[in-house]
Amino acid sequence: MKPILRETRRIIIELIKEDPVLLLSPAILNSVREKEEKRNIRKVRALSEFSALYRSNIYEIMNEFIEEFKAKLTPQLLADYIIDHLKESIEALNILLKITNPDQNNFQNTYLQRLVKYIEDRLFPKGASIQIIYQNLLNQSKDFFECQRHLLQPHTFYREKLENPDYFVIPGNSPKIYQIINNITSFYNLDPNYGVFPERPAYEIPMILKNEVFEPYIDSIAKTEQEAVEKVVDKIGLRIIDDLFLAPQEAFIDILMSNNFLRPAVQPSGKIRYIPQFSNETLILYYLAFASMRRGFLSKELINWIAMNFALLIYMGILKWKLSDDNIFYKIFKDLQTNEKILPYLMKLICFPNYLGMDKMKIRDSVQYRKEIFNFIGSQIDNLKTLIEEIAIFLDTAP
């Protein structure tokens, strides 16, 4: 794609040197394109077709732009816009081509490392303990909670196998699990029971009946799925006591206390009761912290989803940085066929140990799967768009 853009820019510059008015003739531009396509006839057929596709798109975009604005702008101004937009596009591709070193030599100074680290700190941080990771997530949640929650919700959740689930595999947060988290939060905040804190008998912790949480779903979920959901309970900082109650784990209680999500109240008996005052966000951030802490055990769907979102943010951040908002070639970069060529490559790079450190062997190579997962790029949440803008600012101001 880069050689085509570079050659097109050279041709436009030569054309306007001869006479800028020549740019107004679609026939002249089309004849130039046809000549360029014939010049590459010796290429491998698939590569030749690929080049022809991009060249055709580029010339179509230029023709449409000229047709729309030729009555408002002089030929020279039209040419200047096209040349500037081609220059921006070439610069964006230069960054993508140099995004990392193939041998990972001096990887700390690559664009990929800096961008992965920037996004990771906000959405999927590393840390020596789950408490540290949770605190880092919480510190960023004011600005990026919607992105953090989005990172846990793969649109391909229905592919997860719930029969005989592996306890150690961490799945994504499906809509049903999200509903159950919402149910758990409501029970804790509305009318919880209280019982002895197993590790600290002088304290009472909030507990809710397990059956009350799952009862609304008995008709709609199978026994195996209920067991899978119960295993997810561990991943949101809870545990099952006496096979009846859901209660916070000891480590989670420390996190809740340090952030004022549990309020201590002295009882007549002298015991201290921890009264809950938290939201869905509290449990979801714990799930995300848990996934980050044990990223070596993420399910295939979750790995693909996280890697795709990181790849998308990096790709779109670079485009936002290098391309002006009115760049006429923006739609080529956003086209699904372009995404299919660039994003899978980025996804695998992002998984390497020096970056996110996830199992790159779980990245799917199926063309159909790529189309399925990339289709969701068009439905970006506003918070992702905000992060893309921040990435562009970071790139523009970073040394």
Side-chain angles (χ1 to χ4, degrees):
M1 187 173 168
K2 178 187 168 186
I4 298 170
L5 288 166
R6 193 168 51 198
E7 187 62 21
T8 304
R9 183 169 179 265
R10 184 191 64 77
I11 289 167
I12 297 298
I13 290 171
E14 288 184 358
L15 196 65
I16 63 170
K17 277 182 183 177
E18 184 178 344
D19 185 356
V21 176
L22 293 173
L23 201 63
L24 302 182
S25 172
I28 290 176
L29 280 182
N30 286 335
S31 67
V32 171
R33 174 177 60 82
E34 289 169 6
K35 182 181 177 182
E36 285 300 303
E37 285 175 356
K38 287 178 183 176
R39 212 159 59 110
N40 291 285
I41 198 69
R42 293 181 181 177
K43 285 185 177 181
V44 177
R45 183 175 177 183
L47 184 59
S48 180
E49 289 175 357
F50 179 75
S51 298
L53 169 71
Y54 279 107
R55 184 174 283 108
S56 177
N57 285 347
I58 289 165
Y59 278 85
E60 281 175 17
I61 289 169
M62 289 193 298
N63 272 323
E64 288 172 4
F65 174 72
I66 292 165
E67 186 62 31
E68 183 178 354
F69 291 100
K70 67 182 181 182
K72 302 174 185 176
L73 302 173
T74 66
Q76 185 63 53
L77 274 175
L78 286 170
D80 289 345
Y81 272 113
I82 291 171
I83 291 167
D84 287 346
H85 290 177
L86 283 166
K87 182 174 181 287
E88 289 176 356
S89 302
I90 293 165
E91 287 176 356
L93 286 171
N94 273 334
I95 298 299
L96 289 165
L97 286 169
K98 299 173 183 175
I99 199 163
T100 191
N101 300 327
D103 59 1
Q104 296 196 58
N105 180 39
N106 196 24
F107 73 91
Q108 297 92 337
N109 294 321
T110 61
Y111 282 111
L112 187 63
Q113 168 67 9
R114 289 156 68 190
L115 287 168
V116 167
K117 180 67 177 168
Y118 182 86
I119 300 166
E120 188 179 50
D121 286 346
R122 284 149 183 78
L123 307 185
F124 203 52
K126 293 175 182 170
S129 69
I130 200 162
Q131 288 89 344
I132 292 171
I133 297 172
Y134 186 93
Q135 200 59 50
N136 289 338
L137 284 169
L138 191 62
N139 292 341
Q140 296 290 339
S141 65
K142 179 183 175 184
D143 297 319
F144 297 113
F145 175 66
E146 290 303 316
C147 286
Q148 292 169 339
R149 180 172 65 178
H150 178 76
L151 202 66
L152 269 182
Q153 295 179 304
H155 285 266
T156 51
F157 62 86
Y158 51 84
R159 291 174 176 268
E160 303 279 16
K161 291 183 179 179
L162 291 166
E163 297 79 13
N164 303 315
D166 186 338
Y167 177 81
F168 295 103
V169 172
I170 302 170
N173 194 354
S174 71
K176 194 162 289 178
I177 291 173
Y178 183 77
Q179 289 172 6
I180 289 171
I181 288 174
N182 185 57
N183 213 15
I184 289 171
T185 305
S186 296
F187 278 122
Y188 268 119
N189 286 314
L190 290 174
D191 187 25
N193 298 291
Y194 291 90
V196 175
F197 190 165
E199 293 82 6
R200 306 171 197 174
Y203 297 84
E204 292 182 348
I205 55 175
M207 300 181 178
I208 56 176
L209 286 168
K210 182 184 72 171
N211 288 344
E212 283 187 348
V213 172
F214 296 118
E215 191 173 5
Y217 305 95
I218 287 174
D219 293 334
S220 61
I221 61 176
K223 173 69 174 169
T224 51
E225 187 164 349
Q226 183 172 338
E227 289 172 358
V229 172
E230 287 180 5
K231 286 176 179 175
V232 169
V233 160
D234 175 60
K235 299 169 180 64
I236 56 175
L238 305 180
R239 55 180 161 178
I240 298 173
I241 292 180
D242 297 332
D243 201 33
L244 290 174
F245 297 101
L246 293 180
Q249 299 170 13
E250 183 180 17
F252 193 30
I253 286 175
D254 291 337
I255 291 172
L256 294 171
M257 286 294 297
S258 64
N259 290 288
N260 202 32
F261 296 143
L262 287 177
R263 175 172 56 85
V266 179
Q267 301 303 297
S269 64
K271 285 191 175 182
I272 296 176
R273 175 174 290 181
Y274 290 141
I275 298 173
Q277 45 188 24
F278 54 79
S279 64
N280 289 2
E281 178 181 329
T282 310
L283 300 182
I284 288 168
L285 289 184
Y286 188 91
Y287 196 141
L288 188 56
F290 187 91
S292 180
M293 186 76 182
R294 305 191 185 181
R295 59 184 68 194
F297 298 94
L298 303 182
S299 71
K300 183 178 285 187
E301 301 306 323
L302 191 51
I303 285 176
N304 276 270
W305 182 247
I306 291 172
M308 189 277 284
N309 275 280
F310 267 73
L312 171 67
L313 287 165
I314 289 170
Y315 180 58
M316 297 302 292
I318 290 170
L319 295 185
K320 188 76 177 172
W321 174 35
K322 284 298 177 184
L323 304 186
S324 53
D325 290 341
D326 63 346
N327 189 299
I328 61 175
F329 303 109
Y330 226 125
K331 56 184 172 183
I332 291 180
F333 287 94
K334 289 185 175 181
D335 186 82
L336 184 60
Q337 293 181 76
T338 310
N339 290 329
E340 286 177 14
K341 299 291 187 298
I342 295 174
L343 293 184
Y345 173 69
L346 274 178
M347 288 168 67
K348 285 194 174 180
L349 284 177
I350 286 163
C351 288
F352 273 78
N354 287 330
Y355 304 108
L356 280 187
M358 301 189 302
D359 187 354
K360 64 182 181 295
M361 300 305 293
K362 289 185 178 179
I363 297 295
R364 293 181 186 270
D365 287 322
S366 159
V367 173
Q368 188 56 42
Y369 182 82
R370 288 178 188 174
K371 286 181 178 178
E372 180 180 0
I373 198 167
F374 296 156
N375 274 337
F376 296 105
I377 291 173
S379 58
Q380 293 174 33
I381 61 173
D382 288 340
N383 205 211
L384 275 179
K385 294 175 184 175
T386 300
L387 183 51
I388 287 168
E389 289 174 1
E390 297 231 352
I391 290 168
I393 293 169
F394 163 73
L395 285 167
D396 199 40
T397 56

